[in-house]
């Protein structure tokens, strides 16, 4: 499962600006929450055979199931299956082709309790037949912040009521929602082979796990497609999809690799998913375990309830990955990384599955780790390090998450474990282990873990044992510290040079409460341009490490590999920080040096020189960081940076750098840049177009408003048009913002929060003011946004909008509207 973060939501730039990268207020560790054990196995799933058809009008699934099971350890005459909100018509024990009706109890509409009629011995297989109707839209279930709905089976626009929106059916099983569309033991520590026969309108394409083994007519306008998965996997990984999809056929080592997209996006399938065969090859070689399934398909669905899902051999993506040729011009690896993430799950999650949600780290931390692993292979070390750095900052930006263990046996809701700890922190921990053990040992350990537990389940202890077996080391200290503990080191680093003994001293002090972390890391000492490495292990709260050197070092670079998960205050001299930019090789080295330089750019010429050098860095992400950090209200900075900004805006090969430079030029408010900004409006890159329009509005607002009017019909530029209108528009432009907001739905509305707040103070008309406030009030009630603390920011914005009405003809009425909305938001739970 790849979560859809705030940064990937439609209107993400606007939302990110409002939230200021604030992490969601996910639940803290729950020490009083119940212990959540692995599910006890009374019966084991063996094989699941389904025959299903769909009622689009009622949004029902009519199903027949033949489920093969066997008692696990002791004889039993009972069977319990998860079955959510179904009508159960028949339950029978199969004897060849004969059905023997069985007694059952389904009074709670969640658990199907079956009396098998006789005792079955451990390992003795039996088949139960069930005829049922699934009614997903009638389920009384709630989603979570991670997975926004839990009804398992989704009918998208089944009555074609929304013009231009495709008719689709798709499923989402994780965490335990497959039992909303077929009875099963819906637990991750169950494994079963599978056969699904779907009867669908003949005009549609289907997809499921495994191989398509037959397609036969099933009456007028209907067809039955049968899919078979001959290798066992967990029920939450079962999937179906039905709709008008175009299939792009690729291949890898003779296996089908197919991409299913809406027809209008089919011409871009290779650009969107084309690196998949390379990922398959790279991961298979790196892990020493060949991709285990008989095909790999990826499908894009509308209105998906999270980011993406690693259904076995058939990943489902949300529509955010679906792009046309112009959109693809602006795609960064952060958008492509989900493809690597879900593919890596085919090993870590599907081939070997977490035995309980408490151990989700062996699925999700591994998949998060894989994103930078592939970036390193495909795009280089800087790209990988930048990806890791962004994820680490996301975790460290959420102090509440520091209270949570990575392996979490106590929680209230199983989906609470899908968070920054299991993903971003866990991925960083895996990378630390890789750095500590070295690649050869680390990947040999992963191979052993996969091989020992194939088609079964795993947990953190089994991964530890695999790593210990290949490394010959006791790694309990690492797993106890990072997997079964919480938090991270908080350190200060101080330096002292002893000229008499020619010794450099480095003192590291851990200041976090409760425990001391064992920290193996490297220190690089730069003398006369050359680095000398010292490998150390910190085991005490405060330790000083010494290194005899030929001369005072120009730089002491602590944690030279830059993979230690900690919060540090590095009391490095400014001269060393600036030296670090041009001499230490890694992305994080340069990023830390740049951050130090940006803080001093207005007063320190040497720092300003580093910032200017970073504008030309070989990695585009650092060029953007330098642009975005410029203090262009300072005359010296503006004068020094302007020539480079103009060159970057005109010629940089990366569209995101050009866009950032254009926005920066807008801040200079130099009318001689109008020609360059106007030219950007003709770019094929939506990012460049949007930045050009926004920058032009800072220099020539009337012209920008007029150009924005001509771009209103292009949905890709709605964010830029909205931004310009929010900054400079009035009543006429509010009509556009209101209309486009109302036409959006779900997450698509979140990007309008900041523009509606910005415009509020300029809307004198009481009707328009009330329209704006009403929409903001409704957004403030959305649980996902409240989790990010945006309800408080909306309250603050409404209050400021009301205050801005002072002295205007309708001030009293508008201020009363604002006060009522604030009261309602604050009163909501």
């Amino acid at each position: 499962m790849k979560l859809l973060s705030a940064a990937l939501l439609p209107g993400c730039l606007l939302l990110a600006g409002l939230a200021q990268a604030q992490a969601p207020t996910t639940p803290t560790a729950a020490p009083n929450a119940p212990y959540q054990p692995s599910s006890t196995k009374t019966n084991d799933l063996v094989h699941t055979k389904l025959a299903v058809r769909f009622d689009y009008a009622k949004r029902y699934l009519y199903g027949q199931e033949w489920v093969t099971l066997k008692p696990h350890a002791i004889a039993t005459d009972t069977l319990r299956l998860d079955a959510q909100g179904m009508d159960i018509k028949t339950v029978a024990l199969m004897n060849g082709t004969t059905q023997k009706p069985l007694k059952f109890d389904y009074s709670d509409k969640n658990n199907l309790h079956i009396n098998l009629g006789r005792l079955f011995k451990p390992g003795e297989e039996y088949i139960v037949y069930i005829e049922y109707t699934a009614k997903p839209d009638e389920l009384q279930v709630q989603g979570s912040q991670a997975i926004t709905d839990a009804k398992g089976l989704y009918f998208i626009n089944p009555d074609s009521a929304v013009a231009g929106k495709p008719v689709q059916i798709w499923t989402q099983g994780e965490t335990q929602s497959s039992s909303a569309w077929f009875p099963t033991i819906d637990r991750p520590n169950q494994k079963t082979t599978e056969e699904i026969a779907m009867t669908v309108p003949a005009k549609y394409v289907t997809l499921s796990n495994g191989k398509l083994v037959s397609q036969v007519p099933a009456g007028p306008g209907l067809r039955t497609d049968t899919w078979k998965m001959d290798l066992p996997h967990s029920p939450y990984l079962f999937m179906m999809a039905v709709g008008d999809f175009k299939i792009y056929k690729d291949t890898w080592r003779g296996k089908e690799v197919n991409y299913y997209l809406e027809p209008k996006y089919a011409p871009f399938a290779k650009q969107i998913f084309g690196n998949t065969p390379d990922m398959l090859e790279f991961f298979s070689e790196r892990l020493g375990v060949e991709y285990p399934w008989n095909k790999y398909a990826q499908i894009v669905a509308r209105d998906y309830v999270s980011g993406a899902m690693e259904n076995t051999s058939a990943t489902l993506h949300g529509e955010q990955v679906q792009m046309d040729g112009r959109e693809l011009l602006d795609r960064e690896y952060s958008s492509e990384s989900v493809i690597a993430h879900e593919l890596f799950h085919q090993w870590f999650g599907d081939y070997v599955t977490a035995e309980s949600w408490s151990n989700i780290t062996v699925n999700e931390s591994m998949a998060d780790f894989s994103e930078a692993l592939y970036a390193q292979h495909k795009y280089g070390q800087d790209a990988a390090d930048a990806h890791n750095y962004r994820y680490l900052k996301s975790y460290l930006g959420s102090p509440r998450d520091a209270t949570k263990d990575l392996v979490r046996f106590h929680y209230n809701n199983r989906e609470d474990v899908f968070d920054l700890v299991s993903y971003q922190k866990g991925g960083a921990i895996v990378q630390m282990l890789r750095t500590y053990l070295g690649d050869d040992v680390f990947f040999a350990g992963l191979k052993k873990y996969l091989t020992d537990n194939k088609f079964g389940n795993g947990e953190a202890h089994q991964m530890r044992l695999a790593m210990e077996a290949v490394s010959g080391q006791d790694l309990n200290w690492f797993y106890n510290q990072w997997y079964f503990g919480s938090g991270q080191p908080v350190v200060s680093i101080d330096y002292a040079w002893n000229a008499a003994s020619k010794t450099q001293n480095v003192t590291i002090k851990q200041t976090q409460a409760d425990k001391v972390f064992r920290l193996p890391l490297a220190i690089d000492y730069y003398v006369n341009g050359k680095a000398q490495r010292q490998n150390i292990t910190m085991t005490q709260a405060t330790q000083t490490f010494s290194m005899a050197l030929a001369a005072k070092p120009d730089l002491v670079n602590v944690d030279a590999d830059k993979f230690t998960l900690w919060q540090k205050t590095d009391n490095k001299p400014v001269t060393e920080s600036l030296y670090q930019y041009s001499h230490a090789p890694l992305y994080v080295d340069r990023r830390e040096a740049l951050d130090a330089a940006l803080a001093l750019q207005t007063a320190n010429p040497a720092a300003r020189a580093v910032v200017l050098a970073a504008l030309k860095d070989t990695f585009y992400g650092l060029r953007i960081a330098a642009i975005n950090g410029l203090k262009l209200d300072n005359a010296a900075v503006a004068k020094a940076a302007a020539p480079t900004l103009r060159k970057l805006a005109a010629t940089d090969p990366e569209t995101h750098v050009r866009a950032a430079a254009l926005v920066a030029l807008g801040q200079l408010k130099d009318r001689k840049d109008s020609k360059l900004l106007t030219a950007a409006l003709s770019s094929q890159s939506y990012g460049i177009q949007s930045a050009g329009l926004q920058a032009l509005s800072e220099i020539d607002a009337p012209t920008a408003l007029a150009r924005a009017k001509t771009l209103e019909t292009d949905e890709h530029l709605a964010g830029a048009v909205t931004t310009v209108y929010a900054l400079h528009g009035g009543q006429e432009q509010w009509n556009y913002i209101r209309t486009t907001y109302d036409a959006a739905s779900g997450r698509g509305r979140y990007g309008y929060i900041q523009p509606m707040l910005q415009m509020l103070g300029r809307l004198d008309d009481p009707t328009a003011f009330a329209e704006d406030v009403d929409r903001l009030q409704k957004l403030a009630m959305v649980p996902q946004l409240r989790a990010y603390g945006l309800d408080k920011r909306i309250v603050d914005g409404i209050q400021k909008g009301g205050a801005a009405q002072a002295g205007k003809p309708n001030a009293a009425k508008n201020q009363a509207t604002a006060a009522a909305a604030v009261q309602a938001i604050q009163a909501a739970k």
Side-chain angles (χ1 to χ4, degrees), residues 224-495:
T224 298
D225 290 359
T226 300
W227 293 81
K228 290 189 70 174
M229 168 61 77
D230 292 329
L231 299 173
H233 63 140
S234 294
Y236 80 88
L237 298 167
F238 280 38
M239 74 86 69
M240 298 185 298
V242 182
D244 181 16
F245 299 101
K246 294 295 183 184
I247 306 173
Y248 182 97
K249 295 187 177 182
D250 215 333
T251 186
W252 173 79
R253 293 191 185 181
K255 294 184 178 182
E256 289 185 4
V257 178
N258 296 335
Y259 319 129
Y260 294 65
L261 298 104
E262 293 175 33
K264 70 176 182 179
Y265 292 102
F268 312 104
K270 189 70 172 177
Q271 292 168 264
I272 297 169
F273 293 118
N275 281 333
T276 303
D278 183 59
M279 292 178 184
L280 283 161
E281 184 66 24
F282 173 66
F283 288 151
S284 293
E285 287 294 319
R286 206 72 183 90
L287 294 170
V289 177
E290 185 173 329
Y291 174 77
W293 313 105
N294 59 12
K295 69 117 183 342
Y296 188 56
Q298 295 175 88
I299 191 167
V300 183
R302 288 290 188 102
D303 298 347
Y304 184 52
V305 295
S306 194
M309 180 64 207
E310 67 275 12
N311 309 298
T312 311
S313 78
T315 286
L316 189 149
H317 291 278
E319 61 199 89
Q320 67 276 359
V321 304
Q322 204 161 229
M323 299 180 182
D324 62 25
R326 291 187 63 187
E327 291 172 306
L328 284 161
L329 292 174
D330 298 324
R331 186 171 78 159
E332 293 183 278
Y333 181 67
S334 58
S335 296
E336 185 189 11
S337 64
V338 65
I339 299 172
H341 180 110
E342 301 307 328
L343 177 57
F344 209 66
H345 268 313
Q346 300 296 317
W347 287 268
F348 295 91
D350 298 4
Y351 188 55
V352 181
T353 306
E355 52 82 36
S356 70
W357 303 119
S358 297
N359 270 280
I360 196 63
T361 176
V362 299
N363 290 10
E364 295 301 348
S365 301
M366 296 305 302
D368 250 43
F369 162 76
S370 77
E371 296 176 28
L373 180 65
Y374 183 73
Q376 180 187 22
H377 160 75
K378 185 69 176 180
Y379 302 109
Q381 192 65 51
D382 279 350
D385 289 349
H387 194 80
N388 281 331
Y389 182 80
R390 181 169 65 90
Y391 275 7
L392 183 58
K393 289 296 184 182
S394 295
Y395 162 71
L396 292 175
S398 179
R400 294 165 62 95
D401 284 306
T403 63
K404 303 174 185 176
D405 294 350
L406 181 55
V407 178
R408 216 167 313 157
F409 292 109
H410 294 266
Y411 55 81
N412 291 308
N413 185 320
R414 58 183 173 266
E415 290 178 14
D416 290 347
V417 302
F418 291 81
D419 59 10
L420 290 166
V421 177
S422 296
Y423 285 76
Q424 284 86 347
K425 181 184 182 183
I429 289 169
V430 175
Q431 178 60 53
M432 278 198 299
L433 184 60
R434 176 192 180 188
T435 303
Y436 175 69
L437 294 175
D439 276 8
D440 290 346
V441 172
F442 173 77
F443 286 106
L446 294 186
K447 179 179 180 180
K448 181 170 177 58
Y449 169 80
L450 291 170
T451 304
D452 289 353
N453 301 289
K454 62 183 179 182
F455 303 118
N457 295 96
E459 56 181 288
H461 279 305
Q462 287 165 306
M463 190 167 284
R464 172 183 61 82
L465 290 169
M467 292 294 177
E468 288 182 340
V470 299
S471 69
Q473 299 185 43
D474 184 326
L475 294 172
N476 275 293
W477 69 269
F478 185 93
Y479 280 81
N480 289 340
Q481 176 172 285
W482 291 112
Y483 280 79
F484 300 100
S486 61
Q488 62 278 335
V490 179
V491 306
S492 62
I493 308 173
D494 292 286
Y495 306 85

Side-chain angles (χ1 to χ4, degrees), residues 534-737:
Q534 179 186 33
N535 291 306
I536 59 101
T537 299
M538 185 178 189
T539 58
Q540 302 170 26
T542 301
Q543 277 182 267
T544 297
F545 302 95
S546 300
M547 184 73 164
L549 300 168
K552 186 178 187 300
D554 299 303
L555 166 66
V556 179
N557 191 10
V558 177
D559 185 30
D561 292 317
K562 291 295 182 282
F563 287 127
T564 301
L565 197 169
W566 60 8
Q567 292 170 283
K568 68 176 180 179
T569 300
D570 194 342
N571 298 310
K572 183 179 298 180
V574 171
T575 54
E576 290 193 28
S577 292
L578 301 182
Y579 181 93
Q580 181 172 306
Y581 178 81
S582 56
H583 291 81
L586 300 176
Y587 165 85
V588 179
D589 291 322
R590 305 196 315 276
R591 180 61 189 261
E592 289 177 349
L594 172 60
D595 289 343
L598 287 169
L600 300 170
Q601 62 182 296
T602 59
N604 185 319
R608 192 179 310 137
V610 168
V611 174
L612 294 174
L615 290 175
K616 302 175 183 179
D617 196 276
T618 55
F619 182 62
Y620 82 101
L622 280 173
R623 299 200 295 277
I624 292 173
I627 294 169
N628 291 340
L630 288 169
K631 294 182 179 179
L632 294 171
D633 55 348
N634 178 273
V637 173
K639 181 179 179 181
T644 303
L645 287 175
R646 292 186 175 106
K647 184 175 181 180
L648 292 173
T651 63
D652 196 276
E654 293 286 344
T655 63
H656 290 277
V657 176
R658 292 182 63 189
L662 287 165
V663 171
L665 289 177
Q667 296 174 43
L668 294 177
K669 300 184 187 299
D670 190 334
R671 295 190 70 87
K672 73 180 181 182
D673 291 319
S674 296
K675 183 177 179 180
L676 176 60
L677 302 182
T678 301
L681 299 180
S682 300
S683 173
Q684 287 296 297
S685 159
Y686 289 119
I688 292 173
Q689 267 193 301
S690 297
L693 182 63
Q694 181 179 332
L696 184 63
S697 74
E698 298 293 335
I699 294 173
D700 186 353
T703 298
L705 286 170
R707 292 300 301 268
K709 181 71 175 177
T710 68
L711 300 172
E712 285 184 353
T713 57
D714 192 331
E715 62 181 11
H716 299 94
L717 299 173
V721 172
T722 298
T723 298
V724 171
Y725 285 174
L727 292 172
H728 305 288
Q731 177 66 44
E732 179 185 353
Q733 287 74 29
W734 163 248
N735 294 333
Y736 168 83
I737 293 178

Side-chain angles (χ1 to χ4, degrees), residues 128-205:
V128 172
Y129 170 78
I130 305 169
E131 185 178 355
Y132 65 96
T133 300
K135 303 176 178 181
D137 280 26
E138 298 176 19
L139 284 177
Q140 300 299 311
V141 293
Q142 288 187 331
S144 67
Q145 186 174 304
I147 307 168
T148 60
D149 199 286
K151 61 187 181 182
L153 174 65
Y154 296 82
F155 289 82
I156 307 302
N157 200 26
D159 52 6
S160 300
V162 180
K165 186 174 186 177
V167 176
Q168 297 177 352
I169 293 173
W170 48 263
T171 61
Q172 166 58 34
E174 195 171 34
T175 49
Q176 291 172 196
S177 295
S178 286
S179 51
W181 61 276
F182 67 97
T184 188
I185 305 175
D186 205 355
R187 300 294 186 271
N189 63 352
Q190 289 283 340
K191 296 272 181 159
T192 171
T193 53
E194 165 198 351
E195 179 178 334
I196 300 181
M198 288 180 273
T199 298
V200 301
K203 62 183 178 180
Y204 291 143
V205 168

Side-chain angles (χ1 to χ4, degrees), residues 15-176:
L15 180 58
L18 182 65
Q20 295 180 342
Q22 179 180 352
T25 52
T26 52
T28 57
N32 297 320
Y35 173 72
Q36 302 287 354
S38 302
S39 180
T40 299
K41 293 183 177 182
T42 303
N43 288 280
D44 292 335
L45 293 171
V46 177
H47 182 66
T48 303
K49 180 180 178 181
L50 300 171
V52 302
R53 55 192 177 89
F54 305 98
D55 187 326
Y56 283 78
K58 293 182 178 180
R59 305 186 184 198
Y60 286 178
L61 176 150
Y62 301 112
Q64 294 175 282
E65 178 176 18
W66 296 261
V67 57
T68 305
L69 305 104
K70 60 183 179 182
H72 181 78
I74 59 174
T76 185
D77 59 0
T78 62
L79 169 65
R80 188 206 65 83
L81 297 175
D82 297 290
Q84 300 183 49
M86 300 177 182
D87 290 342
I88 304 295
K89 302 182 183 302
T90 304
V91 178
L93 185 68
M94 299 299 300
N95 183 8
T97 59
T98 303
Q99 297 181 6
K100 178 185 177 182
L102 296 175
K103 295 179 181 179
F104 65 91
D105 174 59
Y106 188 52
S107 55
D108 70 355
K109 302 293 283 186
N110 277 301
N111 296 277
L112 179 58
H113 295 277
I114 302 170
N115 186 326
L116 296 173
R118 74 170 181 87
L119 206 63
F120 286 87
K121 295 179 292 186
E124 182 182 2
E125 293 187 1
Y126 60 91
I127 300 174
V128 172
Y129 170 78
I130 305 169
E131 185 178 355
Y132 65 96
T133 300
K135 303 176 178 181
D137 280 26
E138 298 176 19
L139 284 177
Q140 300 299 311
V141 293
Q142 288 187 331
S144 67
Q145 186 174 304
I147 307 168
T148 60
D149 199 286
K151 61 187 181 182
L153 174 65
Y154 296 82
F155 289 82
I156 307 302
N157 200 26
D159 52 6
S160 300
V162 180
K165 186 174 186 177
V167 176
Q168 297 177 352
I169 293 173
W170 48 263
T171 61
Q172 166 58 34
E174 195 171 34
T175 49
Q176 291 172 196

